[in-house]
Amino acid sequence: MDRKDGIGGRELTTKDLVEMYRLMLQSRCFTEQVLVWYEEGRLPQGLHPSVGQEAVGVGACYGLGPDDWVIPSLRTAEAFWTRGVTMLEQLNAMLGNAASVSRGKETSHHAGYPERGILAGTGIVGGSIPVAVGGALALKMRGSEGVMVSFFGDGASNRGDFHEALNLAAVLEAPVVFVCENNLYAQTVPAAVGMAIEDIADRAMGYGMPGRVVDGQDVVAVYAATQGAVGRARRGEGPTLLECKTYRFLPHYPIFEEKRPAEEIERWRERDPIEMLGRRLEEEGLLDEQGKLEMEEAIEAELQEAIGEAEGMPMPDPQEVFENVYREPVEAMGL
Amino acid sequence: MRTLRYNQALCEALRQEMDRDERVFVLGEDIARHGGVYRVTEGLLERFGPERVIDTPISESGIVGLAVGAALLGMRPVVEIQFMDLITIAMDQIVNSAAKARFVHDGALHAPLVVRTMNLGKGTVYSSQELEAWFTHVPGLKVVMPSDPYDAKGLLISAIRDPDPVIFIEHKALYRIEGEVEEEAYTVPLGQAKLPREGDDVTVVAWSSMVGVAEAAADSLADEGIGVEVIDPRTLVPFDRERVVASVCKTGRLVIVHQAVRRGGFGAEVAAAVTESEAFGYLMAPIRRVANPGVPVPKSGALHPPALPGEADVIGAVRDVMAYG
Ligand SMILES: Cc1ncc(C[n+]2csc(CCOP(=O)(O)OP(=O)(O)O)c2C)c(N)n1
Ligand SMILES: [Mg+2]
């Protein structure tokens, strides 16, 4: 059902909507619990909470197939869940134990899971945007049907890398979808201080690709817009920039003091993506209070079991730090 | 004397220089409204206003380039790059625009900017890289690495007043260290080492966060009757070669300590400078370096010990050179 206005994807079934709800809820439960464990000193690190932004990652990844790839931003926890990564796997990565996907070398939010089409991002905000274009180009050169989805924040869109990447993607007609999570802040700096425009989507025009503003609190809207852009990319029509307007309900990272206006946070909390979809599911008789409760209990149970299992895993041997710096051993470098 | 933390000493230096010279302005990410992630620029926005204390977008290359331009046309910008790993983005502007500015204008113009940044130490893959050696390799740049609050303030004031581009490298592990700091503005000259410990047996050269580690090692070794002389060069360019050479002539043994990767690290330069000097004939043991053995700093603490050298490694290296021959 691809339409001229960029909307695409198949009709969502009841099952799809309930699953999208579950993924967002899982993300919320995981994040809130991890922040408590971090505070208690049970986990060695926190995370960049995506609370309030769950619809973006779930909506954008939901319709992707096994040949597609994503690079999450520092905050796109939902890309992992929606691509099938488990809470246990991400807890292993946070603990840096021997069962973690990188055997302790890198943490959860910059983890890569190649067999699930997830490339690792880096700690350098915006650095992965050109990498996504290169990945998309490789898919095209290899004759794959796959599409690359690149996630990044409003702050990242001020980096030269963003601008170079969009230009390159357009001239090379790379099958990539740029998904900007515009949560109105880069750490403590308001988007309005960092850029003189209202809509990041407008930047697309300067590079010769469509740019669309999407309601980032509405998971179905994000899904439809992403599927429209993915369809375009698959048909060889080139890249699209989607700007999902959203908001993080919590500070940038646990150590940051909250200095944003309380009234602004309140206003956005009224558009909680989980509650918005929850209301719709309830109105349509697809999921009632009881059903939601049971879902949450199941998630909590999985989470508690996962932390127990993750904490029981051994730590990697310290000497493993010398592995996979190169294919050869580090000593083979002579110096 | 009054004590301040390292980050407060830096903040005071900025405030006093901005009071003294209205050409000085600061720019960077999260530095104005928030006062800096590590509070080095706290209170500056309130005192000097948004024209001289600028919150910038995430544009590392852009803001360093901008500072070069402003410096060329008469201002004294102090840019903050939030941590060292991010400076990789700004390398073109630092290496090409800033470092060459005086040379290509044959002295008619120069670029007196300061790029403040910070080594994170025990961070993770993308937030622990100690890259000071890169800058020492580029003619035209000065490289400053204070190890305590007193030097932090005095060296930052010197850096701001210096007529050439200065890469000013702070360290996260030091921000909370307290020490005596004079209230008035003062300078610590670039290119003068200091000797926090004197000793006759082994010279240990260390900078930034490793000075404290070397001092602790020296104290333990003193109990074994080994006299360690710790030299903190404080600035890598200019480098106080004479101080190090004189010390090695006295001790005959040299250990160099840095958290950066050994291969191509600045320790190699120090070792070469000593072997090229009159100290060569006094050496009684091979020079030893204590440094990262050539691996990225991983996330998991379980993998840290081989990657991050510490006091035990310094003690081991000192004993090795003592036992030699
Ligand atoms: C190039 C770069 N500059 C600065 C930082 C420090 N930093 C980490 S997250 C962040 C804010 C990112 O903002 P945005 O892209 O909007 O993503 P958000 O955190 O809002 O999801 C900053 C400045 C970094 N990691 N990389
Ligand atoms: Mg943001």
Side-chain angles (χ1 to χ4, degrees):
Chain A
M1 63 162 209
D2 288 331
R3 302 189 335 215
K4 276 229 158 49
D5 57 4
I7 296 302
R10 63 179 171 78
E11 207 72 58
L12 293 170
T13 65
T14 305
K15 228 176 111 217
D16 291 321
L17 292 174
V18 172
E19 178 57 8
M20 285 174 148
Y21 180 86
R22 199 194 63 76
L23 286 163
M24 291 197 290
L25 187 64
Q26 172 180 316
S27 203
R28 177 80 50 100
C29 293
F30 181 88
T31 301
E32 288 178 344
Q33 180 62 78
V34 154
L35 291 173
V36 172
W37 283 333
Y38 174 58
E39 195 130 300
E40 293 171 354
R42 196 166 167 186
L43 286 174
Q45 63 158 87
L47 42 63
H48 300 94
S50 59
V51 173
Q53 302 187 192
E54 292 93 343
V56 179
V58 172
C61 291
Y62 194 78
L64 300 180
D67 294 337
D68 298 323
W69 286 79
V70 305
I71 309 187
S73 80
L74 75 170
R75 211 176 292 283
T76 330
E78 296 72 22
F80 293 94
W81 314 134
T82 310
R83 299 293 282 167
V85 175
T86 65
M87 294 193 284
L88 173 61
E89 287 175 300
Q90 288 294 70
L91 285 174
N92 284 337
M94 296 185 93
L95 284 162
N97 65 27
S100 79
V101 65
S102 66
R103 296 188 65 82
K105 295 188 185 64
E106 184 48 301
T107 183
S108 54
H109 46 278
H110 304 314
Y113 291 90
E115 74 289 359
R116 271 158 288 186
I118 300 173
L119 277 187
T122 79
I124 313 302
V125 163
S128 65
I129 311 175
V131 175
V133 177
L137 188 65
L139 292 171
K140 179 170 142 178
M141 290 168 111
R142 290 168 42 199
S144 163
E145 286 276 282
V147 162
M148 179 66 90
V149 180
S150 167
F151 292 95
F152 51 88
D154 48 290
S157 81
N158 293 323
R159 281 280 323 279
D161 270 355
F162 164 87
H163 295 273
E164 295 179 26
L166 262 69
N167 188 48
L168 282 162
V171 296
L172 299 173
E173 296 179 327
V176 55
V177 179
F178 300 103
V179 179
C180 179
E181 305 155 338
N182 182 1
N183 60 9
L184 305 181
Y185 287 85
Q187 240 161 219
T188 68
V189 181
V193 170
M195 62 185 84
I197 54 170
E198 180 95 18
D199 295 328
I200 292 167
D202 289 349
R203 291 181 164 169
M205 202 203 302
Y207 301 107
M209 72 178 76
R212 302 188 197 291
V213 173
V214 181
D215 178 357
Q217 304 310 91
D218 178 348
V219 70
V220 176
V222 176
Y223 168 82
T226 311
Q227 285 301 305
V230 165
R232 238 178 75 79
R234 275 203 222 293
R235 292 191 300 272
E237 293 165 21
T240 304
L241 171 62
L242 301 177
E243 177 195 6
C244 299
K245 302 274 192 192
T246 186
Y247 196 77
R248 56 171 161 74
F249 294 171
L250 300 176
H252 172 76
Y253 191 81
I255 53 163
F256 280 79
E257 223 181 297
E258 184 59 84
K259 288 185 181 168
R260 297 171 302 172
E263 172 276 324
E264 178 183 280
I265 301 174
E266 257 334 288
R267 187 153 35 80
W268 276 93
R269 274 190 180 276
E270 282 164 21
R271 302 205 69 237
D272 183 321
I274 301 181
E275 285 174 17
M276 281 166 61
L277 181 60
R279 272 198 297 275
R280 173 172 164 190
L281 293 177
E282 221 172 305
E283 280 162 17
E284 296 180 12
L286 303 175
L287 188 68
D288 60 10
E289 266 314 309
Q290 183 59 26
K292 288 181 191 166
L293 217 64
E294 281 165 19
M295 195 183 267
E296 192 168 338
E297 279 166 9
I299 293 166
E300 290 296 344
E302 183 185 335
L303 190 47
Q304 294 303 328
E305 195 182 341
I307 187 74
E309 190 171 334
E311 285 175 335
M313 293 291 176
M315 282 295 167
D317 183 285
Q319 293 307 310
E320 285 188 33
V321 74
F322 294 99
E323 290 175 10
N324 283 314
V325 179
Y326 306 93
R327 197 188 57 186
E328 306 99 307
V330 168
E331 307 89 76
M333 297 303 119
L335 287 173
Chain B
M1 208 192 296
R2 167 200 64 147
T3 66
L4 283 184
R5 287 199 306 269
Y6 185 92
N7 60 349
Q8 295 170 323
L10 291 164
C11 187
E12 187 165 273
L14 289 171
R15 192 177 68 237
Q16 288 176 343
E17 283 307 283
M18 291 180 79
D19 274 334
R20 188 187 66 86
D21 181 350
E22 58 184 29
R23 297 170 304 171
V24 179
F25 71 102
V26 295
L27 68 164
E29 296 156 22
D30 306 282
I31 67 149
R33 286 164 187 74
H34 189 65
V37 174
Y38 296 96
R39 322 235 63 91
V40 174
T41 50
E42 186 146 57
L44 297 183
L45 175 67
E46 292 74 8
R47 191 177 179 96
F48 300 106
E51 271 187 26
R52 293 178 71 198
V53 184
I54 304 172
D55 264 333
T56 68
I58 304 178
S59 303
E60 283 76 8
S61 178
I63 60 180
V64 174
L66 184 153
V68 174
L72 283 167
L73 295 198
M75 301 301 285
R76 296 244 163 195
V78 181
V79 188
E80 175 176 307
I81 297 293
Q82 223 160 68
F83 51 93
M84 180 60 92
D85 309 66
L86 305 177
I87 219 165
T88 57
I89 301 166
M91 283 309 274
D92 165 42
Q93 293 298 348
I94 292 173
V95 173
N96 297 311
S97 304
K100 312 297 190 285
R102 174 185 293 278
F103 193 69
V104 298
H105 293 103
D106 200 26
L109 289 178
H110 59 124
L113 73 145
V114 177
V115 180
R116 286 183 42 245
T117 191
M118 184 257 287
N119 281 335
L120 261 153
K122 238 186 239 186
T124 171
V125 183
Y126 311 107
S127 51
S128 308
Q129 302 177 78
E130 310 226 354
L131 304 176
E132 64 266 18
W134 290 13
F135 307 101
T136 67
H137 194 63
V138 179
L141 300 177
K142 294 180 177 173
V143 181
V144 178
M145 296 186 79
S147 67
D148 66 26
Y150 184 89
D151 287 349
K153 176 171 172 182
L155 288 170
L156 183 52
I157 292 178
S158 291
I160 293 170
R161 295 182 190 176
D162 197 273
D164 286 308
V166 177
I167 310 300
F168 190 93
I169 304 170
E170 301 159 17
H171 202 290
K172 185 185 169 198
L174 298 174
Y175 280 137
R176 285 202 209 135
I177 303 255
E178 273 203 42
E180 294 189 339
V181 177
E182 284 167 33
E183 290 191 27
E184 314 76 61
Y186 60 90
T187 57
V188 170
L190 306 186
Q192 273 185 23
K194 71 173 176 185
L195 273 65
R197 293 287 184 284
E198 290 184 31
D200 294 328
D201 299 321
V202 182
T203 302
V204 173
V205 176
W207 49 88
S208 189
S209 66
M210 297 317 268
V211 175
V213 173
E215 287 172 339
D219 294 344
S220 321
L221 288 158
D223 298 338
E224 295 175 24
I226 300 174
V228 174
E229 181 143 294
V230 178
I231 302 188
D232 172 4
R234 301 196 275 197
T235 66
L236 305 188
V237 180
F239 187 75
D240 194 346
R241 188 172 159 281
E242 268 169 43
R243 215 38 185 297
V244 174
V245 167
S247 177
V248 177
C249 286
K250 176 177 73 171
T251 62
R253 298 180 180 89
L254 175 61
V255 172
I256 305 154
V257 185
H258 55 64
Q259 224 171 49
V261 170
R262 178 186 298 126
R263 182 175 63 228
F266 192 70
E269 192 60 37
V270 176
V274 168
T275 56
E276 286 168 343
S277 77
E278 62 271 28
F280 178 69
Y282 292 86
L283 280 171
M284 295 186 283
I287 296 169
R288 283 286 308 270
R289 284 178 288 161
V290 175
N292 173 310
V295 297
V297 176
K299 169 62 201 163
S300 181
L303 298 174
H304 278 169
L308 298 168
E311 191 183 326
D313 303 282
V314 179
I315 291 173
V318 169
R319 286 194 186 128
D320 282 354
V321 297
M322 287 301 291
Y324 186 84

